[in-house]
Amino acid sequence: MMSMGALAALSLGSSACTQVQKEEFLQKRFREMTEAEKKTTIRRLEETYFRKYGKKFRIGTQPAESAVLWGYGLDLSRCIGCRRCVYACVKENNQSRISPQLHWIRVVRLKDGSLINLENAEHYYNPETVPEPGFQYMPVQCQHCETPPCVRVCPVHATWKEPDGIVVVDYNWCIGCRYCIAACPYKGRVFNWAEPNIPAEELNTEVHYLGNRPRMKNVVEKCTFCIQRVRNGRYPACVEACPTGTRKFGNLLDPDSEIRYLIENKRVFRLKEDLNTESKFYYFFSA
Amino acid sequence: MKIVSLCLFAIIAFGVPVFAAHHDEYPVATPPLTEGIFPCSNCHAGMDVNTKRRQLKDEHTNIKLHHAENDRWCLDCHNPANRDKLKLANGDTIPFTDSYLLCGQCHGNIYRDWKVGIHGKRIGYFKGGKRVYFLCVNCHNPHDPKFKPLKPEPPPIRPEEQAHGR
């Protein structure tokens, strides 16, 4: 049931309100859409993006596969802190480049032997070359918790955990209250404080509705394990960009996967395990 | 007994064991050979093999061996009889695309991790498409394998320096 105020706003503003804006306003939450509604929404979005960016987007809506739970592995004995992953992610996932500059991956630098003292983490380090002697590097991004605190606090259910474990945001449903940002213990979420700023020629047009499609001002965004790639069987962009092979990805329910091997055979920890977030992001040491 | 004598016959007749080291096939990347250098037999075919360990003066002078250089030289890994192949310690020859077998002779623990995808890098499709496993030599120069420091990408802009476009 729509509120009276919303109805009044619609009828009053009918002259200033285009058909597209009306449809956007009345659009349901993605999770509750029927297949037909999804199709209409995708078509409308593709038209909107074409008008805005002059590019043809392919917006996917692939659902989660059964018997799949994605997990991520990151080898702390290999990471050299070069930030190639950060910028590969920005490019793949259409993050705003500047004003605001949004990154889904934050590489923190810690003193050797001081991996748990996160209060001493530094992520603005900028030496001539990396790795620097005496330091370790730990990339942090959305940890795709099994009990995600960000999902629990969202007052409008605009963010949720998919059946394959990926925590997603419906940007069209997000009201921009940023409760989720406050709730996340990993600083895994960022906010579009202004209209995103991406050069048209750098846009990635292969997108997913719940992933890397262009966002708007006043919505929250985060890592989705490259949902547009992994649901098509492809490694996430950060995995492919890493020059040291630090990043591993796979299905936690497949006993033959890379991720299961490293959990069973290497020294593994999860960040802030004591918070019971049950994250699916496993830091490990291969050496 | 029959099998053993058959093997013996094969070894005597062909000079090589018929059961070459069995190994799994991997969708490996192209080895990063210097352009125009392969096949090596282009130059080496007509040359006499000099097995005397020495410093090369005329060719391959850009290669500075920095990989247990006191214990080995070129022909410990490169096959003198056919330069287009590499040579394992047991005398087997392997193509350059199987070079991980050569590295795995000493770096067994790393080889074990590489085979299961923990060491090294795989790109492409893990399901339903083409996948590529990087070879050891795609990241490590076999003549100087230590990973070289890199220039990092720029740090994020500090919030106080970030104009919000307002």
Side-chain angles (χ1 to χ4, degrees), chain A residues 65 78 82-84 87 99-101 123-124 126-130 194 232-235 240 242 245 248 258 261 266, chain B residues 113 116-122 124-127 147 149-159 162-164:
Chain A
E65 272 180 62
R78 302 273 172 240
C82 70
R83 297 201 188 94
R84 302 286 190 274
Y87 290 90
S99 309
Q101 182 198 50
H123 67 279
Y124 297 112
N126 193 22
E128 264 310 300
T129 58
V130 285
N232 290 316
R234 216 172 148 200
Y235 285 112
E240 296 205 338
C242 179
K248 308 293 163 196
E258 295 153 32
Y261 183 91
K266 300 293 173 188
Chain B
D113 277 356
V116 291
I118 302 304
H119 186 99
K121 179 162 151 178
R122 298 175 174 185
Y125 290 81
F126 52 81
K127 201 181 125 190
F147 203 87
L150 294 176
K151 185 170 170 42
E153 296 284 337
I157 301 170
R158 289 172 190 270
Q162 178 134 227
H164 288 151

Side-chain angles (χ1 to χ4, degrees), chain A residues 149-150 153 177-187 189 220:
Chain A
C150 52
V153 297
C177 71
R178 311 189 296 285
Y179 283 16
C180 54
I181 294 184
C184 174
Y186 305 106
K187 284 196 177 181
R189 290 169 170 257
V220 168

Side-chain angles (χ1 to χ4, degrees), chain B:
Chain B
M1 193 58 206
K2 217 172 187 179
I3 296 171
V4 173
S5 51
L6 208 71
C7 284
L8 272 175
F9 168 72
I11 291 169
I12 295 159
F14 306 110
V16 285
V18 278
F19 300 118
H22 172 77
H23 61 88
D24 294 321
E25 298 281 320
Y26 301 103
V28 295
T30 319
L33 293 157
T34 314
E35 215 185 306
I37 208 159
F38 197 82
C40 310
S41 53
N42 273 355
C43 299
H44 279 277
M47 287 164 71
D48 289 333
V49 180
N50 180 354
T51 52
K52 192 176 175 312
R53 185 174 166 163
R54 64 195 185 280
Q55 196 85 40
L56 299 185
K57 294 262 165 52
D58 305 322
E59 283 296 330
H60 305 305
T61 46
N62 55 332
I63 297 171
K64 299 274 177 283
L65 191 63
H66 189 53
H67 187 186
E69 61 276 17
N70 295 328
D71 301 320
R72 71 168 72 93
W73 80 301
C74 317
L75 295 185
D76 289 319
C77 301
H78 292 275
N79 177 30
N82 175 4
R83 292 304 170 102
D84 299 336
K85 301 263 183 158
L86 296 168
K87 189 185 78 177
L88 300 183
N90 67 1
D92 285 356
T93 57
I94 52 165
F96 277 78
T97 45
D98 287 353
S99 56
Y100 54 88
L101 293 170
L102 184 68
C103 310
Q105 297 179 124
C106 297
H107 306 282
N109 51 344
I110 301 284
Y111 178 42
R112 193 164 57 227
D113 277 356
W114 181 82
K115 283 192 286 188
V116 291
I118 302 304
H119 186 99
K121 179 162 151 178
R122 298 175 174 185
I123 59 166
Y125 290 81
F126 52 81
K127 201 181 125 190
K130 193 170 173 272
R131 167 157 70 159
V132 176
Y133 294 9
F134 279 39
L135 286 164
C136 317
V137 293
N138 289 119
C139 302
H140 302 279
N141 177 350
H143 303 118
D144 186 6
K146 193 168 167 36
F147 203 87
K148 304 293 173 299
L150 294 176
K151 185 170 170 42
E153 296 284 337
I157 301 170
R158 289 172 190 270
E160 60 269 30
E161 289 160 10
Q162 178 134 227
H164 288 151
R166 287 179 203 150

Side-chain angles (χ1 to χ4, degrees), chain A residues 105-123:
Chain A
I105 303 173
R106 174 183 288 108
V107 186
V108 304
R109 187 184 73 179
L110 295 152
K111 281 214 176 78
D112 265 352
S114 175
L115 212 56
I116 54 165
N117 297 326
L118 286 172
E119 67 273 22
N120 299 331
E122 158 71 41
H123 67 279

